[in-house]
Amino acid sequence: MSIVSANPTPADERALLASLPTGLLIDGVWRPASDGGTFDVIDPSTGDALLTIASATPADGAAALDAAVGAQRPWARTAPRERAEILRRAFDAVTARSDDFALLMTLEMGKPLAESRGEVAYGAEFLRWFSEETARIAGRFAMAPDGNSRLLVMKRPVGPSLFITPWNFPLAMATRKIAPAIAAGCTMVLKPAALTPLTALLFAQVLSEAGLPDGVLNVIQTTRAGAVTGPLIADSRLRKLSFTGSTEVGRRLIADAAQQVLRVSMELGGNAPLLVFDDADLDKAVDGAMLAKLRNGGEACTAANRILVQRGVAGEFSRRLTERMAAHTIARGTDPASKIGPLVDESTRQKVHELVTSAVAEGATLALGGRVVQGAGYFYEPTVLTDVPAGARILSQEIFGPVAPIVTFDTEEEAVRLANDTEFGLVAYAFTRDLNRGLRLAEELEVGMFGLNTGIVSNPAAPFGGVKQSGTGREGGIEGIEEYLETRYVGIADPYRE
Ligand code: NAP
C-alpha cells in the first residue's frame, strides 16, 4: 500500500522522502559512497532540496560491477518462471504503491500528479509484459539442408549490463531496461540521472522486496557520470550498455563501447514532426497535437517538435491549438489544478527560452506565451509560434519544453521532405482521413515509430526506438527482450552416423 494519500499533503511528502533509501545499492546492501560523498536532489517547482543521497565514486562503480558479475551465473540458471514471478510481484507492488511513485516523480521531476500516475501505469506495464515474455524465450532445432548434421539455436542472457537513464521519465526509462534484462537472466548496474534518482531508489527497494536476488540489480547514482561509468564500459566483464539520453552523450558512449565491441542499445534524441493534412479530422488533430506536444511538459523524446500543417487548415488549426494551450494551468505538479509543471532545471528553461527568442528573431510569429514565469521554480509559459520559417534553428533541435512551432506546407511531397529533413528519426505523427496517404507516410517517413491519427505511440507491447541519430535497438514488445539475449548455435553430428 502507498504511504501517501491520493491527494498528498506536505506531511505526506515528508513521510515519503523520509522512507526512502539514500545509499547506493551494491550486492543487496544499501551503503554510503566510499568517500562519504553526497548530493542534493532538487524540487524543480521551488528550487529547494528534497533529500541528500549518496554519490557513487569510481570505486563504488567497480564494486557494483563486481557484484553484477558475481551474480550472473547463478542468475542465468534460475527457472524462467522464477524470474517471471519476481517481475509479476514487482508489477503488483509498483501498482499498489502508485501514489507513492507518482508523488516522488512529481517532486523530483516536476510533472503534474496525473501525468506521473500515467507514467507509473506505463512503467509498471513493462514489468507485467516481460514477466509474460520470460517463459517464451526459445530457440529452434533443424536438420541441416544436406541432412548431415543437426542445428540447435539457443538463446543465452547477454550478461552483466550497464544502464544509464535520463531524468524525464524516471520510472519508465528504468523499467524498460530492467524488466527485459531480468526476464532474459542478465545482471545489471543502473546509473539513474542525477536530477531524478529517487524514483530509481524506491523501485530498487521494491524489486528487492519482490525477491530479486542480491547483486542482480545494483544502483549507483552519482554526480560524476563519466568518471564512474567510463571504467565500467572499459571493463571486459561488462557485456552490454543500454543508454537513454541525448544523442550527443550517446555518440560518445558508442565510441567508448567500441573499444570492447560492447553490445549497445541507444535510445537517443528526437525531433518529431506532426503532420496535419487538409482532410484531417481537426478535433482529433488538435487533441493529438496537445498530447504529442504537452505530455510531460514537452520534455519527451517523442514530443512533437515540428508541427507541419497544410495551408487550407493552418489558420484554424493554429487558432484552436493556441486556445487549448492558453487554457493550461501552470502550477506545482502536486496542485490538483496543475496541467503543466516546471521544467526540470534552470539551464533547460534558459535553453527553451533562447530557442523561442531566436525563432522570433528569424521571423516566426509569437501567438502565445514566450515568457519565463517569474518567481520560484523553473516554470515556462506554454508557447505557440506560427509561420516558423523552414531553416529556423528551433526546427533542427530538440526543444524539450512546452513550445509548439507551426510550419505551413502545400503538398504531401513537401511535407515528407520537411519531415525527413533532420538527423533524428525517432517518431512522426500524421493526421489524415486518407488511408492510402497514411500508408504512404508510414513507408516514406524516416522513423522508428509512426502515429497515424494519434498523438501517442508509446506502448509496452510495441517496439520503441529510432533510426538515424535517434539510436539503435528497441525497448518493449517481443523485440525488447532480444536486446538482452545472445544467439548461440550448436552444431550436432548426424545421430544416424556412428
Ligand atoms: P543526457 O544529458 O544525455 O543524460 C542522460 C544520462 O546520461 C544521465 O544519466 C546522465 O547523467 C548520463 N550522462 C551524461 N554524460 C555522461 C557521460 N559522459 N558518461 C556517462 N553518462 C553520462 O540526457 P538527459 O538530458 O538526461 O535526457 C534528455 C535526453 O534524453 C533527450 O535528448 C531525450 O530525447 C532523450 N530521451 C530519449 C528517449 C528515447 O527513448 N529515445 C527517451 C527519453 C529521453 P547525469 O544525470 O549525471 O547528467
Side-chain angles (χ1 to χ4, degrees), residues 294 322 325-326 330 340 343 349-361 364-374 379-386 394 399 401-405:
L294 287 190
T322 305
M325 282 182 62
I330 308 172
I340 191 147
L343 294 175
R349 178 162 75 165
Q350 281 312 319
K351 191 193 143 214
V352 169
H353 189 52
E354 207 233 304
L355 282 173
V356 171
T357 312
S358 76
V360 172
T365 303
L366 187 64
L368 178 73
R371 283 179 311 208
V372 162
V373 177
Q374 298 305 313
F379 295 91
Y380 195 79
E381 290 183 352
T383 298
V384 177
L385 295 162
T386 56
I394 198 166
I399 305 168
V403 179

Side-chain angles (χ1 to χ4, degrees), residues 165 167 176 191 194 229 243-246 267-268 301 398 464:
T165 53
W167 49 264
R176 264 185 4 187
K191 197 226 63 79
T229 60
F243 171 76
T244 301
S246 61
E267 298 287 346
L268 308 179
C301 52
E398 260 192 315
F464 188 106

Side-chain angles (χ1 to χ4, degrees), residues 16-25 30 51-54 197-198 200-206 221:
L16 178 60
L17 291 170
S19 75
L20 295 177
T22 57
L24 311 168
L25 179 60
W30 292 98
L51 197 62
T52 304
I53 60 172
L198 301 181
L201 297 180
L202 178 58
F203 178 55
Q205 188 181 50
V206 163
Q221 69 277 7

Side-chain angles (χ1 to χ4, degrees), residues 164-169 173 176 191-195 222-227 229-230 233 243-250 252-253 256 266-270 299-302 398 400 426 464-466 470 475:
I164 302 178
T165 53
W167 49 264
N168 60 344
F169 292 99
M173 297 304 100
R176 264 185 4 187
K191 197 226 63 79
L195 288 170
T222 180
T223 52
R224 299 156 67 193
T229 60
I233 295 170
F243 171 76
T244 301
S246 61
T247 296
E248 188 193 344
V249 173
R252 260 185 279 150
L253 293 178
D256 294 347
M266 291 280 150
E267 298 287 346
L268 308 179
E299 293 174 310
C301 52
T302 49
E398 260 192 315
F400 249 60
L426 188 61
F464 188 106
S470 287
E475 291 187 329

